[in-house]
Amino acid sequence: MTTALWRRTLLSIGMIALALIIGVPLYYIVINTFKTQADMVSSPLGLPETWSFANWSSALGDMSIYQAFGNTLYVTVLAVLAQLLVGAMAAYAMIIARNRTTRILGSLLLVGFIIPPQSTMIPLYRTLVGFELVDSLNGLVIMYMGGAIFCFFLIQGYMRTLPYEVIEAARIDGAGTNQIFWRIVLPLIKPILVTVGVFQTMWVWNDFLLPTVFLSSPQKETIVLQVYSAVSEFTTDWPAFMTITVIALIPMVIFFVFTQRHIVSGLLAGSVKG
Amino acid sequence: MTTLTTPTSSGASAPTARKRRRRSVEGGWKQITINRAFLIPAIVVFVFLFVVPLLQGLYWSFTDFTGYSPEANFIGWDNYVQILNDPSMLSGLTFTLLFAVGTTLLVTCLAIPLAVQLNKAFVGRNVVRSLWFFPAVPSMAILGLVWSYILSPLPSGVLNTLLSNWFGIEAVSWLSDNTLARFSVIMVGVWAQTGWHAVLYLAYLQSIPQEYYEVAKIDGASPRQQFFAITLPLLMPAMVVSSFLLLTNGLKVFDLPYTLTNGGPGFATYTITQSLVVTGVGQGEYGLSSALAVMFTVAVGVIGFTQLRITSRIGRRFA
């Protein structure tokens, strides 16, 4: 018994030590937001000599960060809701009318499932320039609509497990396709909508590629883009940069804490875009 | 990839009854029309965001189309030949492959043992799990920037300061030496992804029945034998999913090298995607960048479809 206890203690110590090493970069950015420039250079990992909140007040006093949050929120909410709706509608239509046409369509859509945004980026950029949708948040939302195909596949997989009797009963009671979708199917598939929604939110909120290509004016920047441009702005003032970084990370951390459970269940469902 | 774990056996017994039922569910012609209309948004997305741009790109890849003149002349395979002779694009191709394969192998080799340890009971397990998982939460672009401070090749870089304070080692040129820069980018990629994939393996590990291990113990199997005879084979489906994600994400990599090293030094950590952004959007070389995009798409497509086939085969074997 004692050897088992020893083993467990050793495992505990080893795992915690290893995890702390993994966590060092996170500690590093947070602790340095409370330091002055000189303090940070002399001891990058030590506690601050005097706790300074100047970085925080200057970062939070800058209005552009709120603007960037607003932009990111707008794009993420709109894009993810639209993706889920388009994906769920298609999945529903395919599930209740399964014939050769929908089967062929389903396998065609696999193309959209596998093709990454990079492959279509340049022609789409050119097209959006023509429609004056470059450097516009709505243009960015349109670009993210490609993710609807990914949603479709996951939602369809989940819908297959639903009992048909429910839809059938609603039909006998005289409900139309539309009514069944909004009143019965959508509430029933809520778990998969949440899981897919969490993954798509993490993708859109964190994405760097599409904003960096499609946005150019500073007042339209998303939060990730804002942090990136802050680097050139504060080349010498690292603590100021760290503070913006931490502020940018906070929403994602809160989001992660509340959705952790769904992330794991999504991983188990066997399909994640990462 | 579609779900691996969905049971496929249910409802296969009475196909005709099912068919009839489906028809009754679909309703009359009016409802059928509405039902078809539900497919329209997805088809619009598919046609305008996938089919049209893919075909456009394929056509442009055989022309000398640029953003500055409206004409596009057919030039055959010239763009493809140019890519295979362009040192920056070749370097992008090399490093992208190196990154994809390197992170896939390293993360898989680290995540499985980590998941096995995380599956055991010990004090502080939840904290440890969260710490490992956390790097997967923020944007890779931001993490790249943070690491660029840590790995800064100047003596004031965090790692260099620590090395000289603790061990008296002189400043190491982490990001300014070709080999070290490549190594650093891959290491940060491994750091960011290992925890996430360990959680994926953990989810599968927890579904292995405990009885298997009990029986193996009675038969006198060592922990090592148990790992190779029970754990590893039963983790195969998880390995397929995990390696697919790692490989395709590796091929798509852009944020991390772009913010960590900006493709440098020289073109040592240049990626295909960065090359696409620079030549296509930055320089308006639509023909040339389209050819690169076509090559990239074919590579991702081949890997994606191969993986899907393997997935379904393995899924069938373990079902």
Side-chain angles (χ1 to χ4, degrees):
Chain A
M1 195 58 219
T2 40
T3 49
L5 198 68
W6 262 112
R7 200 172 274 175
R8 191 179 280 193
T9 319
L10 276 181
L11 178 68
S12 206
I13 293 169
M15 289 305 282
I16 290 173
L18 206 59
L20 288 180
I21 293 173
I22 293 302
V24 162
L26 304 167
Y27 163 78
Y28 163 74
I29 49 174
V30 174
I31 200 72
N32 282 312
T33 61
F34 300 106
K35 290 181 192 171
T36 58
Q37 172 79 5
D39 195 6
M40 176 176 175
V41 172
S42 64
S43 73
L45 289 186
L47 289 173
E49 279 174 24
T50 48
W51 290 77
S52 141
F53 294 91
N55 299 314
W56 281 89
S57 58
S58 73
L60 290 173
D62 185 1
M63 283 304 136
S64 62
I65 198 134
Y66 301 105
Q67 171 90 51
F69 267 126
N71 293 341
T72 318
L73 201 63
Y74 175 82
V75 171
T76 309
V77 169
L78 218 59
V80 172
L81 284 183
Q83 285 176 26
L84 287 176
L85 185 65
V86 170
M89 281 169 72
Y92 170 63
M94 288 243 196
I95 283 287
I96 59 175
R98 205 180 296 172
N99 51 40
R100 193 186 288 161
T101 329
T102 55
R103 252 204 310 277
I104 292 171
L105 191 65
S107 33
L108 268 179
L109 288 178
L110 261 182
V111 173
F113 186 70
I114 286 173
I115 298 303
Q118 281 94 330
S119 304
T120 52
M121 192 172 65
I122 288 155
L124 282 176
Y125 179 79
R126 178 104 185 135
T127 311
L128 289 194
V129 169
F131 285 102
E132 293 187 355
L133 279 166
V134 163
D135 197 22
S136 120
L137 294 178
N138 293 327
L140 202 55
V141 171
I142 293 177
M143 285 301 296
Y144 285 122
M145 284 311 296
I149 308 295
F150 172 77
C151 298
F152 159 75
F153 275 101
L154 281 174
I155 294 170
Q156 196 198 24
Y158 188 85
M159 270 189 190
R160 288 216 184 99
T161 64
L162 290 184
Y164 269 120
E165 290 75 9
V166 183
I167 301 178
E168 205 180 6
R171 177 72 76 200
I172 291 165
D173 288 345
T177 305
N178 219 343
Q179 249 179 325
I180 297 178
F181 178 70
W182 291 101
R183 297 251 185 96
I184 294 165
V185 173
L186 276 191
L188 276 177
I189 61 168
K190 218 161 132 196
I192 194 74
L193 290 181
V194 172
T195 303
V196 180
V198 166
F199 280 112
Q200 298 305 80
T201 304
M202 285 178 76
W203 168 47
V204 176
W205 185 282
N206 285 334
D207 189 39
F208 179 66
L209 173 66
L210 295 180
T212 200
V213 168
F214 283 87
L215 300 177
S216 48
S217 40
Q219 67 271 24
K220 284 179 184 147
E221 280 180 344
T222 61
I223 191 72
V224 176
L225 217 50
Q226 173 108 2
V227 174
Y228 182 70
S229 39
V231 173
S232 46
E233 201 180 317
F234 299 114
T235 34
T236 49
D237 193 358
W238 290 9
F241 165 73
M242 295 294 161
T243 314
I244 296 183
T245 308
V246 173
I247 293 172
L249 290 184
I250 290 170
M252 235 30 225
V253 174
I254 295 171
F255 183 78
F256 168 66
V257 168
F258 282 102
T259 57
Q260 204 174 5
R261 209 161 39 88
H262 301 290
I263 295 176
V264 174
S265 67
L267 287 172
L268 247 192
S271 22
V272 192
K273 202 143 91 177
Chain B
M1 76 241 80
T2 39
T3 42
L4 288 172
T5 45
T6 1
T8 44
S9 53
S10 67
S13 51
T16 44
R18 194 123 210 213
K19 218 176 201 173
R20 211 177 306 129
R21 205 190 274 177
R22 250 174 235 287
R23 200 158 295 153
S24 77
V25 164
E26 212 175 352
W29 66 269
K30 190 183 161 205
Q31 297 306 331
I32 290 178
T33 317
I34 296 176
N35 183 39
R36 295 289 185 277
F38 268 63
L39 282 170
I40 291 172
I43 293 174
V44 169
V45 165
F46 182 62
V47 169
F48 288 99
L49 290 181
F50 292 97
V51 178
V52 171
L54 280 176
L55 293 178
Q56 248 176 330
L58 186 64
Y59 168 65
W60 289 355
S61 75
F62 294 104
T63 67
D64 59 358
F65 188 44
T66 65
Y68 310 111
S69 77
E71 28 176 327
N73 304 309
F74 187 78
I75 54 166
W77 294 92
D78 283 8
N79 286 324
Y80 292 89
V81 174
Q82 199 181 330
I83 286 171
L84 294 176
N85 289 314
D86 180 332
S88 78
M89 291 191 175
L90 272 185
S91 183
L93 227 52
T94 318
F95 180 68
T96 306
L97 282 177
L98 193 69
F99 182 88
V101 174
T103 50
T104 305
L105 291 178
L106 285 171
V107 169
T108 307
C109 291
L110 292 172
I112 295 178
L114 179 66
V116 171
Q117 295 307 318
L118 287 177
N119 201 21
K120 293 177 184 164
F122 60 89
V123 182
R125 184 170 66 165
N126 287 337
V127 178
V128 169
R129 264 188 211 171
S130 299
L131 269 175
W132 273 102
F133 191 82
F134 184 78
V137 179
S139 155
M140 282 305 284
I142 294 183
L143 292 177
L145 292 172
V146 171
W147 275 96
S148 73
Y149 285 102
I150 298 176
L151 295 174
S152 165
L154 301 171
S156 59
V158 180
L159 193 57
N160 280 339
T161 311
L162 293 180
L163 285 178
S164 83
N165 286 358
W166 294 349
F167 308 106
I169 296 172
E170 275 180 43
V172 180
S173 49
W174 295 110
L175 300 178
S176 51
D177 173 86
N178 281 0
T179 319
L180 267 179
R182 287 180 164 172
F183 173 78
S184 302
V185 173
I186 292 175
M187 277 307 150
V188 174
V190 171
W191 168 80
Q193 297 184 84
T194 301
W196 168 280
H197 287 270
V199 171
L200 187 141
Y201 282 115
L202 190 61
Y204 279 84
L205 267 184
Q206 284 167 345
S207 67
I208 300 178
Q210 209 52 44
E211 290 80 34
Y212 292 2
Y213 294 101
E214 282 160 20
V215 171
K217 232 177 269 173
I218 293 167
D219 288 347
S222 68
R224 218 183 102 109
Q225 283 172 319
Q226 288 175 29
F227 177 77
F228 284 105
I230 303 171
T231 314
L232 215 49
L234 287 175
L235 280 183
M236 269 314 280
M239 262 169 93
V240 172
V241 175
S242 162
S243 60
F244 171 81
L245 290 173
L246 283 165
L247 211 54
T248 47
N249 284 334
L251 289 176
K252 289 190 265 179
V253 68
F254 169 68
D255 309 18
L256 181 62
Y258 187 75
T259 54
L260 185 55
T261 60
N262 196 10
F267 291 109
T269 57
Y270 209 57
T271 57
I272 297 178
T273 308
Q274 189 175 352
S275 189
L276 274 175
V277 172
V278 170
T279 51
V281 181
Q283 302 166 353
E285 295 262 14
Y286 293 126
L288 192 61
S289 57
S290 292
L292 188 61
V294 169
M295 287 167 76
F296 173 71
T297 309
V298 169
V300 173
V302 166
I303 290 174
F305 277 108
T306 314
Q307 191 85 25
L308 277 176
R309 294 195 68 170
I310 298 172
T311 306
S312 61
R313 192 170 299 168
I314 288 182
R316 241 175 282 141
R317 181 178 296 174
F318 284 90

